[in-house]
Amino acid sequence: MYGDHYHHYHHDEEYYNHNYGHHGTLLLDDVPALTEFVGLDDNEPIVIGVFTQAELDEATKEAEALAEEGARSFAGEARVEAEDEAPASNFNAFKEVANLHSHMLRFGYTTSTEVMEHLKLKDSAVLIYPAKRYLGPTDKERIRFPSKRLYQNALQSFIFLESAPLVGLFDWRSAERALAADVPILIIFAKVDEPGSDYLHHEHHSYHDHGGEGEGSGEGSGEAVVAEVEAWKFDALASAVRAIAEAHRHDIHVLLGDKRYHTYELNSYGLGKMGMDDHSVGLGIRGGESGSDHYSRVLSKPFSSTPGETADGSLSATDVVVEALEYLELFFGNELTPEPEHRYDSHDYDY
């Protein structure tokens, strides 16, 4: 737990560059601290534990008892086994989950009656706030853990299932959250402008796309120039494929990834030969018996970047949803063969 006051962390950089992985959860001791914490980053989910002072006192006594037991063990005294080991207190169960997973989402807690009233709560609770950036029009902005008693495994599963958006952004955090929830992921690799990556969205043709580099390539050089195709807007593509996630809510996490900037991942899913600047779409699944097997398929035709409309020879959004659902049916029926394990090669990255 952070020993310093939350208001020392006013900026994203300061917050994330702090030694966060070892502390887990921030104290939110008043409404301004809560407001600042909630508004710090709309791209990431947050978890807030609201506890009574009695619950914190219980956690303190529990910690003291464990410390005494550790001291006796160090002194060589035999441990007295209780017939029924009591589960961790509510606050300590919450803190353990935060300590384990604060690198993947943000945790805060409070015992302030002012904050409790502001949150319209009458007793203790754990609240999950999914990332605002990825909320759909019918998604809940706040989800409450259904039990008053907190058990670490149950709380962890609930947090990572309920904090996942129906369609999210593929990155290392979203992939790790799915592992924590023990569910597979479906990655839709397409030419899509990822949120927060505007600086990357420039001409990204390869040597082969332009027939060579330098002043002699391209128009007037006798080489064919590949026409630039418009990238999907992230929200438009997320809306178009939302039906996939709705059909498998809590069974799989659906994520979108810009194929132009996930070269290594494309290779690990056997999709390395996809065109980067066209509207070909690849499906990658991580899951299976091992939990980390990779499965992939390139969709039968390119995917139009205009939702609801179909360019000549391209798939409509409906077609893509149908193909993806059919593919998931094969996956959940154990009818797919995993891709061979991919070994790293220096050519997997674009430099």
Side-chain angles (χ1 to χ4, degrees):
M1 186 166 56
Y2 282 103
D4 215 336
H5 193 277
Y6 172 77
H7 290 292
H8 289 181
Y9 306 99
H10 285 292
H11 304 291
D12 247 17
E13 292 81 3
E14 293 175 359
Y15 182 84
Y16 283 114
N17 288 338
H18 194 65
N19 195 8
Y20 189 51
H22 295 289
H23 296 278
T25 181
L26 289 174
L27 172 63
L28 310 173
D29 53 3
D30 55 32
V31 173
L34 171 73
T35 302
E36 186 176 356
F37 180 75
V38 170
L40 191 61
D41 186 353
D42 287 347
N43 293 289
E44 297 295 332
I46 61 173
V47 182
I48 297 175
V50 181
F51 299 97
T52 63
Q53 188 57 51
E55 286 176 308
L56 255 67
D57 293 341
E58 178 191 7
T60 300
K61 290 179 182 178
E62 183 177 275
E64 290 172 350
L66 287 172
E68 290 177 7
E69 183 180 312
R72 288 196 300 270
S73 175
F74 184 77
E77 298 179 23
R79 184 176 185 273
V80 178
E81 295 284 350
E83 289 187 9
D84 294 308
E85 291 285 346
S89 64
N90 277 355
F91 180 73
N92 281 340
F94 176 84
K95 189 170 68 171
E96 282 301 310
V97 174
N99 286 341
L100 285 170
H101 301 297
S102 59
H103 62 294
M104 290 191 278
L105 39 68
R106 290 183 288 129
F107 289 82
Y109 80 96
T110 187
T111 58
S112 165
T113 54
E114 175 196 6
V115 173
M116 187 178 289
E117 290 172 3
H118 179 79
L119 293 171
K120 296 180 171 56
L121 297 172
K122 295 182 178 179
D123 52 16
S124 56
V126 173
L127 306 174
I128 293 97
Y129 291 78
K132 289 183 179 179
R133 174 62 185 80
Y134 305 108
L135 284 177
T138 60
D139 295 336
K140 295 180 180 178
E141 294 185 4
R142 186 175 100 173
I143 303 163
R144 182 172 180 170
F145 185 68
S147 173
K148 290 186 177 181
R149 186 59 177 166
L150 303 185
Y151 296 93
Q152 184 177 334
N153 290 341
L155 180 61
Q156 174 180 306
S157 296
F158 185 83
I159 287 172
F160 285 105
L161 283 174
E162 295 299 336
S163 66
L166 269 179
V167 181
L169 174 67
F170 173 56
D171 60 15
W172 72 266
R173 285 190 179 89
S174 58
E176 288 296 308
R177 289 180 198 131
L179 279 178
D182 195 25
V183 296
I185 57 175
L186 168 67
I187 310 166
I188 300 174
F189 290 106
K191 185 176 180 181
V192 55
D193 289 345
E194 295 182 354
S197 298
D198 291 343
Y199 66 96
L200 291 173
H201 299 148
H202 51 75
E203 295 291 332
H204 189 74
H205 298 301
S206 68
Y207 179 92
H208 296 290
D209 289 334
H210 284 120
E213 295 180 341
E215 296 179 359
S217 64
E219 193 171 336
S221 66
E223 300 288 350
V225 177
V226 177
E228 177 76 4
V229 293
E230 183 184 359
W232 271 90
K233 300 302 181 186
F234 183 91
D235 292 333
L237 182 55
S239 177
V241 302
R242 187 177 170 90
I244 301 169
E246 289 173 340
H248 291 282
R249 187 169 182 86
H250 295 158
D251 294 330
I252 195 164
H253 288 185
V254 178
L255 307 170
L256 304 183
D258 189 339
K259 61 185 178 179
R260 295 169 292 177
Y261 312 117
H262 291 291
T263 312
Y264 179 75
E265 288 81 2
L266 286 173
N267 279 290
S268 68
Y269 283 91
L271 296 170
K273 294 184 179 180
M274 286 180 62
M276 293 296 102
D277 283 305
D278 57 24
H279 280 306
S280 60
V281 175
L283 304 178
I285 297 177
R286 185 193 68 193
E289 290 186 8
S290 72
S292 59
D293 289 336
H294 287 184
Y295 308 83
S296 66
R297 169 183 287 181
V298 177
L299 297 190
S300 60
K301 296 178 182 179
F303 189 1
S304 171
S305 62
T306 307
E309 297 181 12
T310 308
D312 291 342
S314 69
L315 290 168
S316 68
T318 302
D319 294 328
V320 171
V321 169
V322 168
E323 281 210 29
L325 289 175
E326 289 175 351
Y327 190 55
L328 285 175
E329 187 175 342
L330 294 174
F331 169 73
F332 287 117
N334 297 317
E335 298 179 43
L336 298 179
T337 302
E339 292 291 326
E341 184 177 354
H342 178 71
R343 297 188 179 276
Y344 168 77
D345 185 278
S346 61
H347 297 293
D348 289 342
Y349 289 100
D350 290 333
Y351 294 99

